[in-house]
Amino acid sequence: MRFTSAALSALSASPFLLSGAGAIELDVNDPASIKKAAGIAAANMRVIYTGDRPGDVAGNLPDPYYWWEAGAMFGAFIDYWYYTGDDQYNNITIQALQHQSAYADGAAAFEPKNQSNSLGNDDQAFWAMASMSAAENKLPDLPDEGPLKGPSWLSLTQAVFNRQADRWNKTGTCGGGLNWQIYEYNKGFTYRNTISNGCLFNMAARLYKYTENKTYSDWASKTWDWERSIDLIDKDFHFYDGADEKTNCTKIDRVQWTYNLGVHLSGAAAMWNVTGDDIWKTRITSMIKTMNEVFYKDNIMYEVACELNGKCNTDQRSFKAYLARWIGYTAISAPWTKDLMWKNMIASAQAAAKVCTAGSKGSSCPLRWWQGTQPDDTFGVGEQMAAMEIFQNLLIANVSGPVTESKGGTSKSDPSAGGEPEQPPIIFSEITNGDRAGAGFLTTLVIVGIVAGAWWMVAA
């Protein structure tokens, strides 16, 4: 297992750490079977979370997991409840979102002070996208009074969007863009990573779909156009990791990750859903074509940059979960896309179920679905989340889709949310690869086999 000694100590009594034999049974045509499969993966993920235990911090995962992945996990639990109707994880999800919103400090924008030494715009955005899912899926807002009082789910996402829009680079370097890190004191501040800008695009697009406020539409287009202008998105709709302002973003790190394409795919689907504009339809179609070419091996989803060479770190082992999540959102928001993606989704879900053979019950999921047998002994949060997402996506025909402000939405809007001035702490700290959601300029030091750039060199 790739848990640290602290994590092993915390989980030593858990059956999750034991070995066994078996697999998850999955009938892709039976909603009950799909729900059961998703439920098994959800339970295997839940057992790792300790933030609801006395003395622990609500919303935090144990080592080696970083803050951003916890936000991603709770976003997954929201979707799990929405697709399956199983609400057993709602309480810990609500508690975590409320606590990590930092509402008690008067700054309800997912900027907890204890994360400031490595707080990236992408990290913050993963929590905000979870609160956006809560609004879209009608998770009841936090109350106005009591221990769980807090802002609405929608206003939390609006607050993060406002904070990040205000951080858009105005110096002229790279022609704009959002830096990876929030505070310039943190290493990596000068990197303009695609996932941070992609998350801003995603939030803007989904806020536009929910509110129909044109400001969000303008920002979605602005962010997309900027990424395209410096070739973070190339003409064939490959999505690369990022570039550094030290070189005026002229040198692109061309590593490709599943979640960079996925975050843009779902944002584009939201834009098409509202506008019906053919430009978004063309972009979506092109993205799906590239996705099917790059991120599938024999019709089975895989992380092209690190699965074949066995170099996926803790963060990267969760990336497929987000592509799967956003494929589901895309198929619901732009229904004509389903036929373009579903063959590979079915094959991936079936392959994932077959390799979920770890743990005492023989149902915990490893990373490599395509290998046919359990390929390694690592089956943590990211692996369970990816399997859960790929399973529950098969239920999209059973749900009505994300609500909007005018069509069923209940979460309260606050377009001016997040207006409190930021007080960046004076902290000079080094960070590790795990602190980032994806800045590949350091992760590629680990993935030496693909530092030459192109994805096809790894796949060869």
Side-chain angles (χ1 to χ4, degrees):
M1 297 293 291
R2 294 183 186 174
F3 288 107
T4 65
S5 58
L8 285 170
S9 177
L11 299 174
S12 60
S14 171
F16 178 80
L17 296 176
L18 305 177
S19 61
I24 293 178
E25 295 183 4
L26 176 67
D27 180 347
V28 298
N29 297 309
D30 180 6
S33 174
I34 296 168
K35 290 179 182 181
K36 183 177 180 180
I40 292 171
N44 288 335
M45 182 168 65
R46 166 65 178 96
V47 76
I48 306 174
Y49 175 62
T50 60
D52 60 330
R53 295 180 183 178
D56 213 327
V57 179
N60 280 0
L61 282 162
D63 288 341
Y65 301 102
Y66 289 85
W67 181 71
W68 78 272
E69 191 167 341
M73 180 187 73
F74 289 112
F77 277 140
I78 291 168
D79 282 346
Y80 171 76
W81 160 67
Y82 182 66
Y83 282 122
T84 69
D86 182 355
D87 65 358
Q88 66 176 298
Y89 307 118
N90 285 13
N91 286 341
I92 60 168
T93 298
I94 292 168
Q95 179 193 48
L97 291 172
Q98 188 268 353
H99 188 82
Q100 295 298 329
S101 71
Y103 184 70
D105 295 329
F110 294 115
E111 292 174 8
K113 292 180 179 179
N114 63 349
Q115 298 297 331
S116 59
N117 67 331
S118 62
L119 186 58
N121 282 300
D122 48 0
D123 304 338
Q124 181 187 37
F126 266 87
W127 282 89
M129 290 187 292
S131 65
M132 190 71 221
S133 293
E136 292 170 332
N137 295 340
K138 295 183 68 174
L139 187 70
D141 275 347
L142 294 169
D144 294 329
E145 301 293 338
L148 279 179
K149 73 174 183 178
S152 71
W153 304 129
L154 180 61
S155 70
L156 271 170
T157 309
Q158 290 171 311
V160 173
F161 167 82
N162 288 335
R163 294 291 189 107
Q164 296 197 356
D166 192 54
R167 296 179 195 132
W168 186 264
N169 192 275
K170 305 176 182 68
T171 65
T173 306
C174 301
L178 194 63
N179 289 58
W180 166 38
Q181 287 289 297
I182 290 177
Y183 303 125
E184 61 183 304
Y185 309 103
N186 291 334
K187 187 174 181 179
F189 175 80
T190 60
Y191 196 62
R192 308 279 170 85
N193 60 341
T194 300
I195 190 59
S196 289
N197 289 278
C199 288
L200 179 62
F201 166 73
N202 185 282
M203 287 187 292
R206 290 164 68 186
L207 284 168
Y208 177 51
K209 181 178 181 295
Y210 195 99
T211 67
E212 296 192 35
N213 183 326
K214 192 175 182 299
T215 297
Y216 299 127
S217 171
D218 292 343
W219 267 98
S221 295
K222 176 179 180 177
T223 306
W224 177 282
D225 292 345
W226 176 78
E227 290 184 272
R228 186 70 188 87
S229 73
I230 68 164
D231 210 32
L232 292 181
I233 308 170
D234 76 7
K235 62 181 179 62
D236 296 317
F237 293 88
H238 297 99
F239 291 77
Y240 301 122
D241 189 82
D244 203 297
E245 66 182 37
K246 292 178 180 178
T247 61
N248 199 29
C249 296
T250 57
K251 296 180 180 179
I252 305 296
D253 185 333
R254 295 184 180 272
V255 175
Q256 296 183 74
W257 302 106
T258 49
Y259 73 162
N260 277 328
L261 188 146
V263 77
H264 291 85
L265 179 65
S266 56
M271 293 297 291
W272 177 85
N273 183 275
V274 184
T275 66
D277 195 326
D278 282 345
I279 192 171
W280 291 111
K281 186 170 186 176
T282 299
R283 290 168 176 171
I284 291 167
T285 303
S286 298
M287 278 188 271
I288 292 173
K289 180 177 183 294
T290 297
M291 176 183 74
N292 288 339
E293 292 172 351
V294 175
F295 295 120
Y296 288 90
K297 177 181 175 64
D298 298 326
N299 303 118
I300 300 168
M301 186 186 295
Y302 80 120
E303 197 64 59
V304 66
C306 62
E307 273 195 39
L308 292 178
N309 59 23
K311 297 295 185 180
C312 296
N313 67 20
T314 301
D315 286 353
Q316 295 151 9
R317 299 177 81 86
S318 73
F319 289 177
K320 288 191 301 189
Y322 318 127
L323 178 58
R325 177 185 306 178
W326 290 322
I327 285 174
Y329 183 96
T330 298
I332 293 173
S333 299
W336 52 270
T337 64
K338 180 180 176 181
D339 289 343
L340 303 177
M341 302 185 291
W342 223 243
K343 177 182 177 182
N344 287 347
M345 284 295 293
I346 293 290
S348 296
Q350 291 173 325
K354 288 178 182 178
V355 299
C356 291
T357 59
S360 62
K361 296 181 180 179
S363 61
S364 292
C365 303
L367 179 66
R368 300 174 188 170
W369 302 338
W370 45 268
Q371 190 158 312
T373 58
Q374 184 181 327
D376 57 42
D377 62 352
T378 305
F379 39 94
V381 170
E383 294 90 334
Q384 310 322 302
M385 184 172 14
M388 185 185 77
E389 296 276 12
I390 206 82
F391 297 151
Q392 66 197 27
N393 267 359
L394 303 180
L395 296 168
I396 64 168
N398 297 61
V399 296
S400 57
V403 299
T404 67
E405 199 167 38
S406 61
K407 295 180 180 178
T410 58
S411 194
K412 298 176 182 177
S413 177
D414 182 2
S416 63
E420 301 89 348
E422 293 177 1
Q423 299 294 328
I426 301 176
I427 297 175
F428 301 88
S429 60
E430 294 294 318
I431 58 178
T432 67
N433 284 348
D435 287 313
R436 60 181 50 86
F441 75 111
L442 287 180
T443 58
T444 51
L445 294 179
V446 179
I447 310 172
V448 294
I450 58 169
V451 89
W455 64 271
W456 54 86
M457 294 182 68
V458 181

